[in-house]
């Protein structure tokens, strides 16, 4: 019904493609370089705003496609709620685990405070990423340039860059078992 | 009506979890045979540091069947509602790449919506066949895509507990077996004038070797453990011991434990640790470990 008003209907007949759905915004203009014409029609929305979407258009068979995609309105709502419930279960489990870990940490710090106040104060000090301990400064003088750079790269208080993000499949080489020891002062 | 039951069930569940640390709700018996040692304020307890060396998950978690079905459902919805793809902007008219894209797109339409979608226009059978042949030739020329490594490593099947490739989706923790046969985390004594996190680093290197690229996360301990008070065998009273746990990550290398104190080592998940470690120790450490 609304597909008749679409400006792309003429274009579809002209080309021999198997698509009956392309998105054309601006109308055809005669006497233009075809490459520029393609870019222009892809970029600029048409002036006739007869669709709910502000920039584009639905596919021509959107009603039929939606009917095949969604079983029914009630089914869609049920799926939505089931998904939210699933996410809630996961979230609650994760929050409970985090709370357990935090409680364990809090109790340990309380214990430490009752045992030794100096160690407790030291443990609570924030890490200064730009600080270099005197041992490190002495060590840097003795190392080569590349090794000094490697030693500096591990910044205290920040995550090391060697911590890998989980991937869908493992690396070809697997775990790196042979790692040359590199001394880093505490 | 049923949804309210679901929601009330969910509300009840987290409270059980959040109270789990206060009351031991597992079926195993509470460790009442070990008396809780009294706080001796006058004598300072001997400080130990222990390291929980964690190999973080290498692989992403497997989506459940429900998640996969939901993602497929959402993909269908998006495909139904999105703007039509401006193929004429991305592909040159009549090129082989356009034909390849068209074929693949028709297949995806059929998978998403059914047999009535993704039907080719009946233009020219010979031309369509020629296009298909050209696309196949292109695929041959490009060569096969790289084979992905399987998610299950051979060490999973072999149950090699020393391997760091085993159980890619899980968190693995380093556990050492003492000469007496007890399994525990690496630990050591805190020397005078030393800070706890420095002692933790030193103890880790001393007990497990320096052939590991490790990173201790923070200056703060993540937990503590008081061993059960043994019956005084000798006349002089033994000072209490308190072990503070520090979390560390391993990024490369392998443990080479000191053979004088340590007999064996293993990289285990939380459930596997539960089966090996003494019961009182387990109740002290289980809150610090990740479930997954």
């Amino acid at each position: 019904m609304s597909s008749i008003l679409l400006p792309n209907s003429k274009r579809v007949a002209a080309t021999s493609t198997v698509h009956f759905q392309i998105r054309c915004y601006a109308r055809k203009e005669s006497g233009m370089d075809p490459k520029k014409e393609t870019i222009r029609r892809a970029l600029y929305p048409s002036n006739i705003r007869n669709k709910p979407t502000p920039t584009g258009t639905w596919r021509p068979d959107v009603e039929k496609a939606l009917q095949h995609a969604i079983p029914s309105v009630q089914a869609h709502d049920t799926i939505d709620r089931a998904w939210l419930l699933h996410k809630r279960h996961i979230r609650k489990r994760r929050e409970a685990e985090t709370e357990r870990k935090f409680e364990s940490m809090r109790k340990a710090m309380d214990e430490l405070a009752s045992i030794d106040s100096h160690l407790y104060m030291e443990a609570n000090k924030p890490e200064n990423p730009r600080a270099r301990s005197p041992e490190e400064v002495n060590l840097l003088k003795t190392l080569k340039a590349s090794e000094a750079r490697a030693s500096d790269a591990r910044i205290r208080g920040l995550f090391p860059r060697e911590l890998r993000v989980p991937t869908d499949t493992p690396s070809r080489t697997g775990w790196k078992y042979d790692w040359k020891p590199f001394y880093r002062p505490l | 009506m049923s949804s309210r039951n679901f929601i009330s069930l969910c509300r009840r569940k987290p409270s059980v979890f959040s109270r789990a640390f206060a009351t031991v709700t597992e079926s195993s018996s509470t460790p009442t045979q070990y008396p809780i040692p009294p706080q001796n304020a006058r004598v300072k307890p001997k400080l130990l540091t222990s390291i929980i060396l964690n190999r973080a998950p290498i692989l992403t978690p497997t989506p459940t069947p429900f998640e996969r079905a939901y993602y497929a459902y959402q993909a269908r919805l998006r495909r139904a509602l999105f703007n039509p793809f401006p193929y004429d902007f991305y592909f040159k008219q009549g090129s082989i790449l356009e034909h390849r894209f068209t074929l693949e797109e028709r297949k995806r339409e059929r998978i998403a919506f059914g047999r009535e979608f993704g039907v080719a226009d009946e233009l020219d059978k010979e031309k369509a066949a020629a296009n298909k042949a050209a696309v196949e030739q292109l695929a041959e020329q490009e060569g096969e895509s790289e084979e992905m490594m399987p998610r299950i490593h051979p060490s999973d099947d072999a149950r090699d507990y020393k391997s760091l490739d085993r159980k890619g989706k899980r968190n693995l923790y380093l556990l050492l077996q003492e000469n007496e046969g007890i399994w525990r985390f690496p630990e050591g004594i805190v020397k005078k004038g030393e800070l706890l996190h420095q002692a933790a680093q030193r103890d880790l290197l001393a007990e497990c070797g320096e052939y590991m690229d490790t990173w201790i996360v923070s200056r703060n301990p993540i937990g503590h453990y008081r061993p059960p008070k043994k019956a005084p065998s000798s006349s002089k009273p033994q000072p209490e011991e308190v072990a503070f746990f520090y979390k560390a990550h391993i990024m490369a290398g392998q443990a080479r434990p000191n053979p004088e104190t340590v007999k064996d080592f293993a990289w285990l998940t939380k459930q596997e640790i539960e089966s090996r470690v003494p019961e009182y120790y387990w109740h002290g450490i289980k809150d610090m470990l990740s479930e997954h």
Side-chain angles (χ1 to χ4, degrees):
Chain A
M1 10 162 235
S2 56
S3 52
I4 305 165
L5 294 170
L6 281 175
N8 64 357
S9 50
K10 276 189 197 163
R11 187 150 165 83
V12 169
T15 57
S16 65
T17 63
V18 295
H19 299 281
F20 49 86
Q21 56 200 27
I22 52 172
R23 181 198 60 186
C24 296
Y25 291 145
R27 275 193 293 178
K28 276 191 86 164
E29 265 187 49
S30 54
M32 267 194 84
D33 180 22
K35 278 185 288 204
K36 287 182 192 159
E37 179 71 28
T38 317
I39 296 170
R40 193 181 68 83
R41 295 192 75 203
L43 282 177
Y44 294 103
S46 89
N47 286 329
I48 305 171
R49 306 259 180 188
N50 54 0
K51 302 287 174 307
T53 67
T55 52
T57 180
W58 308 122
R59 51 190 285 163
D61 55 348
V62 62
E63 303 95 358
K64 196 167 148 223
L66 263 180
Q67 274 173 9
H68 282 260
I70 303 179
S72 70
V73 172
Q74 294 87 355
H76 177 77
D77 285 338
T78 313
I79 292 170
D80 222 8
R81 280 171 48 224
W83 180 249
L84 291 172
L85 194 63
H86 174 68
K87 280 179 68 167
R88 185 197 166 91
H89 286 322
I90 292 173
R91 192 174 61 238
K92 291 296 173 192
R93 248 181 281 142
R94 190 174 55 230
E95 283 171 8
E97 188 186 303
T98 313
E99 199 189 337
R100 279 199 298 270
K101 287 182 178 171
F102 184 75
E103 271 302 311
S104 166
M105 218 172 140
R106 192 186 57 79
K107 281 195 252 179
M109 291 303 278
D110 288 343
E111 187 74 24
L112 184 61
S114 69
I115 291 173
D116 190 329
S117 61
H118 167 67
L119 288 175
Y120 176 74
M121 299 302 278
E122 285 292 326
N124 271 325
K125 270 198 188 153
E127 294 264 36
N128 184 2
R130 288 156 64 178
R132 275 197 200 143
S133 61
E135 299 167 324
E136 265 180 15
V137 171
N138 292 332
L139 192 69
L140 278 176
K141 293 176 193 165
T142 60
L143 289 177
K144 293 189 284 185
S146 56
E147 285 183 349
R149 238 180 295 134
S151 167
D152 251 350
R154 192 63 69 84
I155 303 166
R156 64 180 84 249
L158 294 184
F159 282 88
R161 62 171 64 209
E162 289 87 11
L163 267 181
R164 276 177 76 119
V165 176
T167 50
D168 284 333
T169 49
S171 74
R172 260 169 217 294
T173 46
W175 186 264
K176 187 178 170 190
Y177 284 101
D178 42 321
W179 179 79
K180 203 168 76 74
F182 185 81
Y183 173 67
R184 281 203 175 90
L186 301 166
Chain B
M1 189 175 63
S2 58
S3 61
R4 264 192 232 123
N5 285 344
F6 282 138
I7 291 169
S8 59
L9 197 73
C10 288
R11 282 215 201 92
R12 260 185 273 126
K13 259 188 184 172
S15 58
V16 168
F17 284 139
S18 64
R19 277 195 232 116
F21 65 87
T23 58
V24 177
T25 52
E26 288 99 19
S27 56
S28 62
S29 61
T30 47
T32 48
Q33 59 266 41
Y34 300 111
I36 300 162
Q39 285 269 355
N40 201 341
R42 278 167 285 150
V43 178
K44 259 197 183 170
K46 192 165 86 164
L47 289 176
L48 307 170
T49 43
S50 196
I51 312 274
I52 298 190
L53 189 56
N54 175 26
R55 189 224 67 187
I58 305 173
L59 302 175
T60 50
T62 322
T64 62
F66 173 55
E67 281 171 5
R68 275 192 282 125
Y70 182 77
Y71 294 146
Y73 176 68
Q74 287 291 307
R76 283 204 296 280
L77 271 182
R78 282 199 300 275
R79 183 171 275 283
L81 292 172
F82 272 5
N83 286 342
F85 181 67
Y87 66 90
D88 57 333
F89 177 72
Y90 286 100
F91 296 106
K92 189 154 176 251
Q93 293 294 307
S95 63
I96 302 177
L97 287 176
E98 196 200 13
H99 293 306
R100 184 175 74 174
F101 173 75
T102 309
L103 285 172
E104 288 170 356
E105 185 68 11
R106 281 201 338 244
K107 197 165 155 194
R108 286 190 283 261
E109 287 271 306
R110 275 201 299 275
I111 291 170
F113 298 125
R115 273 179 292 115
E116 299 132 34
F117 289 77
V119 175
D121 295 349
E122 298 291 321
L123 287 171
D124 196 344
K125 291 265 176 154
E126 279 177 15
K127 230 181 177 180
N131 289 338
K132 204 169 175 187
V135 166
E136 278 165 14
Q137 202 181 34
L138 179 70
E140 270 177 33
Q141 278 173 7
E142 277 184 343
E144 274 185 26
S145 57
E146 280 186 22
E147 290 274 322
M148 293 290 173
M149 299 295 286
R151 279 163 73 93
I152 300 179
H153 198 259
S155 55
D156 266 310
D157 304 316
R159 309 238 175 130
D160 179 15
Y161 292 111
K162 292 191 172 44
S163 167
L164 278 156
D165 296 297
R166 192 176 77 95
K167 299 264 182 190
K169 291 181 282 191
R170 306 287 308 274
N171 280 294
L172 292 182
Y173 299 99
L174 178 66
L175 215 61
L176 302 178
Q177 189 182 31
E178 284 175 340
N179 290 321
E180 290 84 41
I182 305 170
W183 288 91
R184 58 159 175 82
F185 287 115
E187 67 183 15
I189 308 168
V190 181
K191 291 189 183 144
K192 266 202 186 321
E194 208 180 19
L195 296 178
L196 280 181
H197 65 282
Q198 294 166 343
Q201 169 90 318
R202 189 185 45 77
D203 291 331
L204 181 64
L205 293 178
E207 274 224 319
C208 305
E210 49 184 22
Y211 289 84
M212 291 190 291
D213 188 8
T214 52
W215 174 63
I216 294 186
V217 177
S218 149
R219 297 166 82 111
N220 302 336
I222 61 166
H224 73 289
Y225 169 72
R226 275 177 185 271
K229 208 162 186 176
K230 294 184 271 269
S233 51
S234 56
S235 54
K236 56 176 173 179
Q238 292 276 345
E240 288 166 17
E241 289 181 344
V242 185
F244 285 98
F245 289 87
Y246 276 81
K247 181 166 184 192
H249 285 276
I250 178 171
M251 278 89 66
Q254 175 66 288
R256 292 191 201 181
N258 188 1
E260 292 165 32
T261 44
V262 173
K263 194 164 77 172
D264 197 16
F265 74 97
W267 290 95
L268 304 170
T269 59
K270 188 175 178 180
Q271 286 75 28
E272 287 159 5
I273 290 176
E274 182 176 6
S275 56
R276 291 196 194 202
V277 136
E279 209 183 322
Y280 194 78
Y281 193 68
W282 168 248
H283 284 294
I285 63 167
K286 66 178 166 53
D287 286 335
M288 293 184 272
L289 306 178
S290 297
E291 293 283 335
H292 188 75

